[in-house]
């Protein structure tokens, strides 16, 4: 290891992976998804809920009601400026809280970005919002969930 470090290698931790995860729109439990407080619809996981499948599962009837008009959507925010808001920062529009920033990151490719759970009526791409930062706010724009390869067309290993 000393030889590798001597050649210029720099050790890194999980923080290096965080921007890639956020760019790809990947969910992490307890950051983006709080058990028993969010539904799969809040995170755009509609496709994994088989409401039309035979048989029952816990919460099926409640999820049917949510599926009809999901109250929240999971999106990427492109954050203006260089400062990065904190995990859990409020997302506001015209003074009303419309969501929460769950995973902020500074991306080498996209700059300051973050995953956010937003009210459905405020989750359209291009919507301008503000994110709590310190004692004020910073501007942001709603974007597609996975800003890096949103259609998942790039080759995979």
């Amino acid at each position: 290891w000393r030889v590798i470090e001597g050649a210029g290698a720099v050790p890194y931790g999980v923080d290096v992976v965080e921007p890639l995860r956020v760019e790809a729109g990947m969910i992490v439990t307890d950051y983006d998804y709080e058990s028993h407080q969010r539904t799969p619809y809040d995170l755009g996981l509609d496709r994994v809920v088989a409401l039309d499948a035979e048989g029952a599962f816990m919460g099926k009837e409640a999820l049917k009601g949510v599926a009809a008009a999901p109250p929240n959507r999971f999106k990427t925010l492109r954050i203006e400026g260089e400062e990065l808001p904190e995990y859990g920062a409020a997302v506001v529009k015209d003074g009303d809280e419309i969501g929460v920033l769950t995973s902020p990151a500074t991306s080498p490719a996209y700059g300051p970005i973050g995953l956010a759970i937003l009210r459905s009526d405020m989750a359209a791409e291009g919507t301008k919002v503000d994110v709590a930062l310190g004692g004020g706010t910073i501007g942001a724009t709603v974007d597609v969930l996975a800003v890096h390869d949103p259609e998942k067309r790039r080759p995979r290993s």
Side-chain angles (χ1 to χ4, degrees):
W1 182 251
R2 289 185 188 121
V3 171
I4 293 171
E5 278 187 314
V10 178
Y12 63 88
V14 123
D15 290 342
V16 167
V17 178
E18 185 69 352
L20 302 175
R21 177 185 81 79
V22 174
E23 289 174 5
M26 298 176 76
I27 298 163
V28 170
T29 303
D30 293 332
Y31 282 99
D32 304 308
Y33 174 75
E34 300 108 353
S35 298
H36 309 291
Q37 294 181 29
R38 300 278 179 203
T39 72
Y41 299 97
D42 291 333
L43 299 170
L45 295 174
D46 310 39
R47 69 188 182 285
V48 301
V49 182
L51 294 174
D52 56 349
E54 289 185 33
F57 60 84
M58 190 181 310
K60 185 174 185 177
E61 293 307 312
L63 286 176
K64 282 183 181 180
V66 173
N72 301 304
R73 294 325 240 165
F74 198 47
K75 295 288 187 158
T76 297
L77 294 181
R78 289 187 183 247
I79 301 165
E80 299 169 6
E82 296 301 316
E83 285 191 79
L84 200 58
E86 297 288 326
Y87 283 83
V91 179
V92 297
K93 175 80 174 174
D94 299 327
D96 293 328
E97 189 169 331
I98 62 158
V100 63
L101 182 70
T102 62
S103 292
T106 299
S107 161
Y110 303 100
I113 59 174
L115 300 176
I117 299 173
L118 305 172
R119 266 187 5 216
S120 293
D121 63 329
M122 295 290 157
E125 285 89 20
T127 302
K128 300 287 186 185
V129 297
D130 293 305
V131 182
L133 177 66
T137 61
I138 191 168
T141 304
V142 177
D143 206 340
V144 295
L145 176 57
V147 292
H148 178 78
D149 193 21
E151 295 177 12
K152 305 295 184 212
R153 293 188 178 186
R154 292 189 175 195
R156 299 177 187 176
S157 59

